[in-house]
Coordinates of all heavy atoms in Angstrom, one line a residue:
L187 N 5.0 -21.3 25.1 CA 6.1 -22.2 25.4 C 6.9 -21.6 26.6 O 7.4 -22.4 27.4 CB 7.0 -22.3 24.2 CG 6.4 -23.0 22.9 CD1 7.4 -23.0 21.8 CD2 6.0 -24.4 23.3
L188 N 7.1 -20.3 26.7 CA 7.8 -19.7 27.7 C 7.1 -20.0 29.1 O 7.7 -20.2 30.1 CB 8.0 -18.2 27.5 CG 8.9 -17.8 26.4 CD1 9.0 -16.3 26.2 CD2 10.3 -18.3 26.6
D189 N 5.8 -19.8 29.1 CA 5.0 -20.1 30.3 C 5.2 -21.6 30.7 O 5.4 -21.8 31.9 CB 3.6 -19.8 30.1 CG 3.3 -18.3 29.9 OD1 4.2 -17.5 30.3 OD2 2.3 -17.9 29.3
E190 N 5.1 -22.5 29.8 CA 5.3 -23.9 30.1 C 6.7 -24.1 30.6 O 6.9 -24.9 31.6 CB 5.0 -24.7 28.9 CG 3.6 -24.7 28.4 CD 3.4 -25.5 27.2 OE1 4.3 -26.1 26.7 OE2 2.2 -25.5 26.7
A191 N 7.7 -23.5 30.0 CA 9.1 -23.7 30.4 C 9.3 -23.1 31.8 O 10.1 -23.7 32.6 CB 10.0 -23.0 29.4
Q192 N 8.7 -22.0 32.1 CA 8.8 -21.3 33.4 C 8.3 -22.3 34.5 O 8.9 -22.4 35.6 CB 8.1 -20.0 33.4 CG 8.3 -19.2 34.7 CD 9.7 -18.8 34.9 OE1 10.3 -18.1 34.0 NE2 10.3 -19.1 36.0
A193 N 7.2 -23.0 34.2 CA 6.6 -23.9 35.2 C 7.6 -25.0 35.4 O 7.8 -25.5 36.6 CB 5.3 -24.4 34.7
K194 N 8.2 -25.5 34.4 CA 9.2 -26.6 34.5 C 10.5 -26.1 35.3 O 11.0 -26.8 36.2 CB 9.7 -27.1 33.2 CG 8.6 -27.9 32.4 CD 9.1 -28.4 31.1 CE 8.0 -29.1 30.3 NZ 8.5 -29.7 29.0
I195 N 10.9 -24.9 35.0 CA 12.0 -24.3 35.8 C 11.7 -24.2 37.2 O 12.5 -24.5 38.1 CB 12.4 -22.9 35.2 CG1 13.0 -23.2 33.8 CG2 13.4 -22.2 36.0 CD1 13.3 -21.9 33.0
N196 N 10.5 -23.7 37.5 CA 10.1 -23.6 39.0 C 10.0 -25.0 39.6 O 10.5 -25.1 40.8 CB 8.7 -22.9 39.0 CG 8.8 -21.5 38.6 OD1 9.8 -20.9 38.5 ND2 7.6 -21.0 38.1
D197 N 9.6 -25.9 38.9 CA 9.5 -27.3 39.5 C 10.9 -27.8 39.8 O 11.2 -28.4 40.8 CB 8.8 -28.2 38.5 CG 8.6 -29.6 39.1 OD1 8.0 -29.7 40.2 OD2 9.1 -30.6 38.5
I198 N 11.9 -27.7 38.8 CA 13.2 -28.1 39.0 C 13.9 -27.3 40.2 O 14.6 -27.9 41.0 CB 14.0 -28.0 37.7 CG1 13.4 -28.9 36.7 CG2 15.5 -28.3 37.9 CD1 14.1 -28.8 35.3

Side-chain angles (χ1 to χ4, degrees):
L187 296 179
L188 291 178
D189 293 337
E190 295 176 1
Q192 186 64 54
K194 292 181 180 180
I195 290 173
N196 295 337
D197 182 59
I198 294 175

